[in-house]
Amino acid sequence: MRRRSLLALPLLAAALPRPGLAQAPGRPLAVASFSILGDMVRQVAGDQAALRVIAGPDTDPHAFQPRPSDAEALRGAAVLVRNGLGFDAWFDRLARAATAARPPVMVTATEGITPRSMEAHAHSHGGMERRQQHSVGPRRIPDPHAWQDLRLAQDYARTIARGLAAAGIAAPEGEAFVQRLAALDAWVRQQVATVPEARRRVITAHDAFGYFGAAYGIQFLAPQGVSTAAEPSAAEVARLIRQIRAEGITAVFVEAATSPATLERLAQEAGVRVRGRLYADALSPPGGPAATFEAMVRHNVGLMVPAMRGEA
Ligand code: ZN
């Protein structure tokens, strides 16, 4: 009897939840496909849900390749949150593989949003489209980067709050978050209004700011298409260099989580200076300049506005 209990004790201890695991006992688990959505879930749910993020800070969600352990992270989730519009299709595959036994609520943050369409550049998603491009000309595809428009980000927050509710998770901070995003939207408009209209042009690594540009009246130019998956063509880079020189564009940026090489070369050849790193598709780690979605927007606008104005 005594021996049995001695044997049983370590087994029992091993089965208890270990401190430091994300999923505290009793708290339902929410899993978000990438860091920006993860922060939105956190802002909306507060501490009502345990949270896991698959494509974390400083990780490019376009090029993300899930590992088997990522499928494991979805196990037991009450709710899954994805962007949709083709952005995080890898997350759908993970979800199918990991959660067959008890399907969680799947939230598509862009549900109900009318997407912008964008030109699928020849290189946007690799070989297949490149071949199609040569035979059928530019194709239009939905632009997935809708979070960059802060009015649409408010829709994201409401959609996430509804999805959490459907999974039995309270969203006590949801309305406060929506209000902060509305205030942030007004602040961005104020900031952009200080830039002369003719100077509202920004060059960055890939077409991530279409919604931002449309919402706030800024023209974004990028050598790389909607995805970060492939190299831009030499012709496209040369065209941008001519445009920078001809129009006196001063706002040139690299992007976090993507290679800076093309933009640095482009800036050098055009004789302008790279003005810093914008955060487009991923947050920075905690302690960085874009650790939350709101901090990301303030960081980006704080760099873009003086750069567009041509200030030193
Ligand atoms: Zn992107």
Side-chain angles (χ1 to χ4, degrees), residues 171-253:
E173 317 290 339
E175 203 37 52
F177 182 48
V178 168
Q179 294 307 317
R180 291 205 306 280
L181 294 179
L184 193 55
D185 179 72
W187 176 78
V188 175
R189 285 171 206 286
Q190 245 170 38
Q191 291 296 305
V192 174
T194 67
V195 181
E197 255 175 75
R199 299 204 58 81
R200 293 179 194 167
R201 292 212 171 98
V202 172
I203 294 188
T204 186
H206 85 294
D207 282 347
F209 291 94
Y211 290 89
F212 188 91
Y216 306 109
I218 299 171
Q219 189 189 359
F220 281 82
L221 303 156
Q224 201 167 32
V226 66
S227 168
T228 54
E231 286 293 303
S233 71
E236 222 165 336
V237 171
R239 184 182 55 75
L240 268 182
I241 290 170
R242 282 196 301 275
Q243 188 169 3
I244 292 171
R245 288 181 179 148
E247 300 178 10
I249 296 173
T250 48
V252 178
F253 292 96

Side-chain angles (χ1 to χ4, degrees), residues 9-238:
L9 271 174
L11 288 174
L12 184 63
L16 289 171
R18 281 170 292 156
L21 274 187
Q23 191 178 12
R27 279 203 303 168
L29 174 65
V31 182
S33 60
F34 75 112
S35 55
I36 290 169
L37 288 185
D39 178 62
M40 288 182 173
V41 172
R42 171 60 66 230
Q43 300 301 333
V44 164
D47 60 4
Q48 297 295 306
L51 174 67
R52 285 183 189 149
V53 172
I54 303 301
D58 273 348
T59 302
D60 176 6
H62 290 288
F64 190 74
Q65 308 228 331
R67 296 153 305 175
S69 60
D70 293 320
E72 200 55 43
L74 271 64
R75 206 174 291 280
V79 59
L80 306 178
V81 185
R82 67 179 171 190
N83 185 71
L85 301 179
F87 183 71
D88 39 13
W90 50 265
F91 189 69
D92 302 4
R93 292 194 293 276
L94 271 186
R96 280 196 296 273
T99 57
R102 199 170 117 258
V105 174
M106 175 66 93
V107 179
T108 304
T110 53
E111 190 177 272
I113 287 174
T114 304
R116 287 172 53 79
S117 78
M118 65 187 320
E119 200 171 287
H121 291 220
H123 48 266
S124 69
H125 288 107
M128 177 64 87
E129 290 189 17
R130 188 181 313 229
R131 281 193 296 279
Q132 287 174 353
Q133 178 81 13
H134 287 298
S135 54
V136 302
R139 280 193 320 120
R140 307 293 297 181
I141 57 168
D143 180 348
H145 305 87
W147 61 85
Q148 295 285 359
D149 176 341
L150 289 158
R151 290 164 309 182
L152 298 181
Q154 293 170 60
D155 293 339
Y156 273 52
R158 292 193 186 98
T159 301
I160 290 168
R162 274 198 307 276
L164 293 174
I169 302 170
E173 317 290 339
E175 203 37 52
F177 182 48
V178 168
Q179 294 307 317
R180 291 205 306 280
L181 294 179
L184 193 55
D185 179 72
W187 176 78
V188 175
R189 285 171 206 286
Q190 245 170 38
Q191 291 296 305
V192 174
T194 67
V195 181
E197 255 175 75
R199 299 204 58 81
R200 293 179 194 167
R201 292 212 171 98
V202 172
I203 294 188
T204 186
H206 85 294
D207 282 347
F209 291 94
Y211 290 89
F212 188 91
Y216 306 109
I218 299 171
Q219 189 189 359
F220 281 82
L221 303 156
Q224 201 167 32
V226 66
S227 168
T228 54
E231 286 293 303
S233 71
E236 222 165 336
V237 171

